[in-house]
Amino acid sequence: MRRLGRVFHSLTSTHHFCTSSTISLNHMLTTHLHNNSIVDATILFEDNPTSRNIVSYNIMLALYVRNDRLRHAQKLFDEMPLKDVVSWNTMLLGLRKTKNPQGVCTCFLQMRRTSFSPNEYSISLVLSTVYNTEFNILVAQIHSFVVRAALNSSLFVGSALMRGYADVGDSVALSRVFDEILDKDISSWNALVSGYMKIGWMREAVRVFDAMPEKNIVSWTSLMNGYIDNKRINKARSIFNKMREKNVVSWTAMISGYVQNQHYMDALRLFPLMLKSGIPPNHFTFSSVLDACAGCCLLLTGQQVHSSILKSGIPDDIILLSSLVDMYAKCGDIDSAFCVFESIPNKNVVSWNTMIGGYARHGLAARALDEFERMTRSGIKPDQVTFINVLSACAHGGMIKEGEKHFDSMAAKYRIQAVGEHYACMVDLYGRAGLLEEAVRLVKKMPIQPDVVVWGALLAACGLHSSLELGEFAAEGINRLKNEHPAAYSVLLKIHGEKGSWNNVTELRQMMKGNRVRKQSAGSWVEPHSSPSYSKTIF
């Protein structure tokens, strides 16, 4: 009896004591998938190796992808004895989530070499991944496969292809794909309008919009967004005003459009109209309104928006919280920015960049570098924006050695390629310290062509230290890129004036007049004294 008890105990202490049938296993795995119980699902899956079928593997793949465990998903995918189109599509989705267009394209090629042909969903996943990347040149090849697979008449695939051709600017192919769709619905018409707008063919987009057999709120919003993207903000507002029906997407798009085009006060005037319409804002709306407050340094209004967010009951969202950090930092309340930043439970690279950038703008170089160190210790990998903020902090703090160290670490440690803005920060760093020869040396050995920002940083440094010879070198560089740039004349006027070379000053002014170059006027944002009464009109 004791021996039987020991056997029973040893059996019950192992995971393999009770195996489930395949149907039961898949039912329980599906329940865990719905509940997102990845640990319970993994244990159950591992305990029942003989009951698994292709459905079991696909459920686990979906669970791993949903929880961003792509390594686990890839390992399981490679171990699968059999795969179907669902398996391949799940892996494509996982690779797309990690923003890995090369991985998606490689997986798609491997899929084509199997006996399973990609379906409409496979095509849309690949196309949506290559948008706005260097891999968008594959759109035409994918289209060729679509035609051979007889999927070109599909609404789903056709809309995805139209977005792809709009991304590469091919209006002829865009129109051809639309014509290939047999049963066009309102979504395909909307995709054509959006495609023409993205290419910049606004008249053609309006012609298609007017010819649509029916229109919905998406149609109007697509046309409005097209005008916003093409910097026709007043035309976008005209379309917005004509909309008989508006939802939170259309209101948010118009507010965001004003912010994108730096019409901050217009965005803030539109927000109370949205509230009066009865449409509740979402976190994207609030984020855009906060960006508007940051853009014109309206701290009091930003605080009231913050209060409204708390009252709305919207759950914490990292995009919204990062916008709050940015608003407080740009409006001068760096302590409140830090308090909001610390309340973010799972900080990402955007939230860290916002805080580091806030410290950099306030000249708090040491605190910016401390946050950078804390960021890297937390396991978050910095990106190009991170280093722009770090190098800017070093420049404002006069930290030459630290700036050089972080600039060198970009490629050596993090494999991040320096772009023009990084070089501009380094030129600014050397220029502020009076190391003009070092700044010029860096500009001359840049592996990329110096842009207006780099030349402008060097020009500003020359003006700060009244270096005429190097100032003329920088002015020549900036004028090669942008003919008769007013900044070049302004700095040279300043240097000649400080040196008492009044004949040269007169000559430069005559050149400016002859070339119709206007002197740049300075400006700054200051919160108006009437902001409290203005805020009452919002809330």
Side-chain angles (χ1 to χ4, degrees):
M1 191 72 180
R2 289 180 180 176
R3 183 181 177 187
L4 182 62
R6 286 196 298 271
V7 172
F8 179 79
H9 175 75
S10 65
L11 286 171
T12 56
S13 63
T14 64
H15 291 306
H16 303 290
F17 171 66
C18 182
T19 58
S20 303
S21 67
T22 300
I23 295 175
S24 176
L25 172 65
N26 290 343
H27 175 74
M28 289 186 285
L29 285 175
T30 302
T31 301
H32 290 318
L33 176 65
H34 290 157
N35 297 330
N36 205 32
S37 304
I38 189 168
V39 175
D40 294 335
T42 302
I43 293 173
L44 180 64
F45 183 81
E46 291 178 350
D47 284 354
N48 294 274
T50 59
S51 301
R52 304 172 192 164
N53 65 0
I54 195 168
V55 176
S56 317
Y57 279 95
N58 286 341
I59 293 171
M60 287 305 302
L61 274 178
L63 198 52
Y64 284 138
V65 168
R66 178 187 293 179
N67 288 273
D68 300 320
R69 298 192 179 184
L70 194 62
R71 289 184 180 178
H72 293 80
Q74 186 68 63
K75 183 175 183 295
L76 184 64
F77 181 77
D78 293 339
E79 293 172 353
M80 288 179 68
L82 293 172
K83 301 180 182 70
D84 62 7
V85 69
V86 175
S87 317
W88 286 99
N89 285 348
T90 305
M91 278 309 301
L92 287 170
L93 177 62
L95 291 164
R96 190 190 72 170
K97 284 184 69 178
T98 60
K99 298 180 180 179
N100 183 3
Q102 184 173 357
V104 169
C105 293
T106 301
C107 184
F108 181 70
L109 287 174
Q110 292 172 346
M111 181 182 184
R112 287 191 57 191
R113 290 168 184 155
T114 67
S115 57
F116 296 102
S117 180
N119 60 14
E120 296 179 11
Y121 185 56
S122 316
I123 302 298
S124 68
L125 282 172
V126 177
L127 287 169
S128 63
T129 304
V130 302
Y131 297 156
N132 299 314
T133 72
E134 59 185 1
F135 292 91
N136 63 5
I137 59 174
L138 299 175
V139 171
Q141 294 182 39
I142 297 171
H143 187 191
S144 176
F145 168 78
V146 166
V147 173
R148 292 198 304 273
L151 295 172
N152 52 313
S153 62
S154 163
L155 281 169
F156 197 54
V157 174
S159 296
L161 276 171
M162 282 193 281
R163 288 193 294 272
Y165 278 122
D167 191 46
V168 298
D170 191 338
S171 60
V172 175
L174 171 68
S175 177
R176 186 171 67 246
V177 171
F178 177 77
D179 292 337
E180 289 173 355
I181 300 175
L182 294 180
D183 297 318
K184 301 175 180 63
D185 67 354
I186 196 167
S187 65
S188 54
W189 284 92
N190 290 340
L192 186 60
V193 171
S194 297
Y196 279 135
M197 277 295 189
K198 185 174 179 65
I199 294 172
W201 285 32
M202 288 175 279
R203 289 186 179 179
E204 195 65 19
V206 172
R207 183 192 64 77
V208 172
F209 180 81
D210 292 338
M212 290 177 67
E214 60 175 322
K215 302 177 182 68
N216 60 10
I217 194 169
V218 177
S219 313
W220 287 90
T221 305
S222 298
L223 189 66
M224 181 186 72
N225 276 329
Y227 280 121
I228 290 171
D229 293 339
N230 284 280
K231 310 297 182 184
R232 299 284 298 276
I233 192 68
N234 292 333
K235 190 66 178 176
R237 180 60 185 269
S238 176
I239 297 297
F240 178 80
N241 291 340
K242 291 177 182 177
M243 294 174 65
R244 295 179 180 178
E245 180 186 358
K246 301 180 181 73
N247 59 12
V248 66
V249 175
S250 49
W251 280 100
T252 303
M254 193 65 242
I255 292 172
S256 176
Y258 275 133
V259 174
Q260 290 172 33
N261 288 273
Q262 299 181 350
H263 290 229
Y264 304 120
M265 298 304 294
D266 287 324
L268 293 175
R269 292 188 187 100
L270 187 61
F271 183 58
L273 298 180
M274 177 183 181
L275 298 178
K276 291 177 183 178
S277 73
I279 301 293
N282 60 19
H283 61 283
F284 291 112
T285 318
F286 279 121
S287 180
S288 295
V289 174
L290 287 170
D291 290 344
C293 295
C296 51
C297 296
L298 286 172
L299 177 59
L300 181 58
T301 305
Q303 289 170 334
Q304 292 193 331
V305 175
H306 189 180
S307 176
S308 182
I309 292 168
L310 297 175
K311 292 176 183 177
S312 69
I314 293 178
D316 288 342
D317 175 82
I318 195 164
I319 296 174
L320 185 55
L321 291 173
S322 296
S323 293
L324 273 169
V325 173
D326 188 55
M327 182 276 294
Y328 278 120
K330 287 181 177 176
C331 290
D333 192 347
I334 195 68
D335 291 330
S336 293
F338 182 73
C339 288
V340 175
F341 174 73
E342 286 295 276
S343 72
I344 302 176
N346 298 309
K347 302 176 181 65
N348 62 9
V349 66
V350 175
S351 52
W352 282 103
N353 287 348
T354 304
M355 193 67 246
I356 295 170
Y359 281 136
R361 279 190 297 273
H362 283 265
L364 302 172
R367 293 178 70 174
L369 296 184
D370 287 342
E371 289 304 315
F372 175 74
E373 294 299 326
R374 197 157 69 103
M375 170 188 177
T376 54
R377 287 198 304 268
S378 71
I380 300 295
K381 183 182 177 181
D383 60 10
Q384 287 187 335
V385 177
T386 312
F387 280 102
I388 290 172
N389 291 329
V390 168
L391 295 176
S392 177
C394 293
H396 285 88
M399 298 179 169
I400 299 171
K401 295 298 182 184
E402 289 83 353
E404 291 175 333
K405 181 189 75 172
H406 288 299
F407 182 76
D408 292 339
S409 74
M410 287 176 59
K413 186 175 181 180
Y414 298 103
R415 297 181 180 179
I416 296 175
Q417 187 69 38
V419 296
E421 289 177 276
H422 299 110
Y423 284 100
C425 288
M426 290 302 294
V427 170
D428 187 41
L429 171 68
Y430 289 131
R432 287 172 183 265
L435 303 175
L436 298 182
E437 294 292 343
E438 192 68 30
V440 171
R441 192 176 300 113
L442 179 65
V443 171
K444 288 182 176 179
K445 70 176 185 180
M446 282 176 61
I448 57 177
Q449 189 72 21
D451 58 11
V452 173
V453 180
V454 174
W455 287 117
L458 181 60
L459 189 64
C462 295
L464 181 65
H465 297 282
S466 300
S467 175
L468 180 58
E469 181 182 354
L470 296 181
E472 289 176 339
F473 169 72
E476 182 183 348
I478 199 172
N479 279 334
R480 280 201 303 267
L481 298 177
K482 190 170 183 180
N483 191 32
E484 307 303 339
H485 196 289
Y489 285 97
S490 298
V491 173
L492 292 178
L493 280 171
K494 174 181 177 294
I495 296 173
H496 282 300
E498 289 173 349
K499 293 181 176 296
S501 304
W502 302 115
N503 290 335
N504 291 328
V505 169
T506 303
E507 184 180 344
L508 278 171
R509 284 176 175 166
Q510 289 175 347
M511 288 175 62
M512 290 178 69
K513 185 176 180 180
N515 294 327
R516 296 182 180 180
V517 178
R518 292 186 177 183
K519 185 178 179 182
Q520 288 181 307
S521 56
S524 63
W525 268 110
V526 179
E527 185 162 7
H529 295 297
S530 59
S531 60
S533 61
Y534 169 71
S535 299
K536 291 178 183 178
T537 65
I538 295 184
F539 300 100

